[in-house]
Amino acid sequence: MLKSFISKLFIVLPFLASSAFAEPMVWHATDGHRQFTILGSIHVGTQDMYPLPEIFLNHWQAADGLIVEANILDTKMPSFTFNPPLTHALLNESDTQKLNQIAKQLKLAPNDLAYAPPWYSVMSIQLALAYNLGLQTELGVDYILLERAANQSMPIHQLESVAKQLDMMKKLPNNGLDMLLETIHDWDEVDDQLDCLIAAWQDGDKEKLDRLFIASSYSDETDFMLIDQRNTNWVEQLSDMEKYPAGNYMLVVGAFHLIGKQGLPNLLKEKGFSVQLLTQTEKSQCEW
């Protein structure tokens, strides 16, 4: 239930050098012509997630461009309509009651969740939960870096558009019902899970991020569409010399896109890139 946050806010923060021993994982991938410095993003955040790792900021100084999932600085949000089936038509009475309790807890209007597709209901719940926990979309890593790149007139490349992301969500099985059901059924764990995600990201705890990835899985088909299929498409783009000619690029995508055999570091390695983890990791103390 932590795999997607879509929003339109952004902010500027100063970039400073970090002296912390444990820090978010930064990867380096090169094929001899292109260099990609890769950082996993948390799409919501707090001030204490910064500064970013010093080695990432050092590579930024020589960067020829920033690559992100989607350029969310583009304020032209695509219009879309809610296609059935909607949430109220898919939930049984017990799950409907639980959803109404969640809405009340988060100060959301129950009908706004009931008369939206399940995937949109999940997005609304996730963002409201983030705000309740003191997290802000305008402090998400991708927002910070996009704003910095724009201020420096650094070229910004997107791997997909926001419109394409929305189209993908509308094609999820049963409009994303499995995402909503997992959110409802695991609601009592979600606070601790989100706190642990951020702690593990800050510490670069690869093992715990792996566990969180598994714990937050949906159905095989949904996970394939949200993670594996997109990763495969992105690696094809990154391997294209015409799209990304010789140069140094900063690559920032959601942290879960870097995990496991289908994660970007491993897929790039399979494409012949030399891939190296540049940062040191530390075990996070969080549990959920």
Side-chain angles (χ1 to χ4, degrees):
M1 66 193 79
L2 304 173
K3 289 187 179 177
S4 296
F5 284 98
I6 297 177
S7 166
K8 299 298 296 178
L9 302 175
F10 51 88
I11 200 171
V12 182
L13 281 183
F15 277 60
L16 302 171
S18 171
S19 59
F21 177 78
E23 52 193 358
M25 289 185 291
V26 177
W27 298 84
H28 181 264
T30 181
D31 63 356
H33 304 285
R34 286 90 49 78
Q35 297 189 64
F36 297 103
T37 303
I38 308 168
L39 175 68
S41 171
I42 302 292
H43 299 314
V44 291
T46 61
Q47 291 279 4
D48 63 7
M49 287 170 52
Y50 301 92
L52 294 175
E54 182 176 6
I55 195 164
F56 180 85
L57 301 179
N58 289 341
H59 280 265
W60 182 281
Q61 303 305 318
D64 297 306
L66 171 65
I67 307 170
V68 293
E69 293 181 36
N71 185 357
I72 45 184
L73 293 189
D74 184 355
T75 57
K76 297 178 182 178
M77 188 70 174
S79 60
F80 64 97
T81 56
F82 289 162
N83 297 324
L86 302 183
T87 293
H88 72 90
L90 294 170
L91 296 185
N92 61 34
E93 183 177 352
S94 174
D95 288 333
T96 297
Q97 290 177 354
K98 180 64 174 177
L99 181 63
N100 289 340
Q101 292 170 4
I102 292 171
K104 182 178 180 180
Q105 179 182 338
L106 297 176
K107 297 180 172 58
L108 295 172
N111 278 352
D112 287 348
L113 301 181
Y115 287 89
W119 65 265
Y120 192 88
S121 301
V122 172
M123 304 299 293
S124 300
I125 290 170
Q126 288 180 336
L127 287 174
L129 172 66
Y131 294 141
N132 278 17
L133 294 177
L135 301 166
Q136 302 175 50
T137 50
E138 63 264 31
L139 292 177
V141 175
D142 36 359
Y143 291 91
I144 300 300
L145 294 175
L146 277 164
E147 187 70 10
R148 178 174 171 84
N151 287 341
Q152 294 181 344
S153 299
M154 179 185 292
I156 296 172
H157 310 271
Q158 61 178 9
L159 295 166
E160 58 195 19
S161 64
V162 173
K164 184 174 181 179
Q165 290 181 340
L166 289 171
D167 186 59
M168 173 194 64
M169 300 301 285
K170 290 189 288 186
K171 292 178 180 177
L172 290 172
N174 286 320
N175 252 353
L177 177 61
D178 61 321
M179 297 169 62
L180 181 58
L181 289 176
E182 180 169 332
T183 300
I184 292 172
H185 297 161
D186 293 347
W187 183 249
D188 292 339
E189 300 178 9
V190 69
D191 287 17
D192 291 339
Q193 195 178 43
L194 185 52
D195 285 342
C196 197
L197 170 64
I198 294 174
W201 176 83
Q202 288 179 301
D203 289 335
D205 188 338
K206 185 178 182 298
E207 180 180 343
K208 190 148 290 181
L209 286 171
D210 287 343
R211 287 173 54 202
L212 282 160
F213 180 81
I214 294 170
S216 63
S217 293
Y218 303 122
S219 68
D220 289 345
E221 186 176 358
T222 295
D223 280 344
F224 175 75
M225 293 178 68
L226 290 178
I227 303 291
D228 298 350
Q229 187 175 53
R230 296 167 72 202
N231 284 0
T232 299
N233 176 271
W234 295 350
V235 167
E236 290 300 322
Q237 293 185 52
L238 296 171
S239 301
D240 187 342
M241 283 287 293
E242 291 188 7
K243 188 173 182 65
Y244 295 105
N248 301 310
Y249 300 93
M250 311 303 291
L251 173 60
V252 180
V253 297
F256 279 156
H257 289 284
L258 307 182
I259 300 296
K261 292 182 178 179
Q262 294 301 311
L264 291 185
N266 192 63
L267 292 179
L268 285 168
K269 190 178 299 184
E270 291 179 357
K271 280 286 188 179
F273 283 80
S274 174
V275 180
Q276 178 185 7
L277 180 62
L278 299 179
T279 49
Q280 301 187 64
T281 67
E282 183 174 292
K283 283 191 175 296
S284 178
Q285 300 304 309
C286 69
E287 292 296 339
W288 73 96

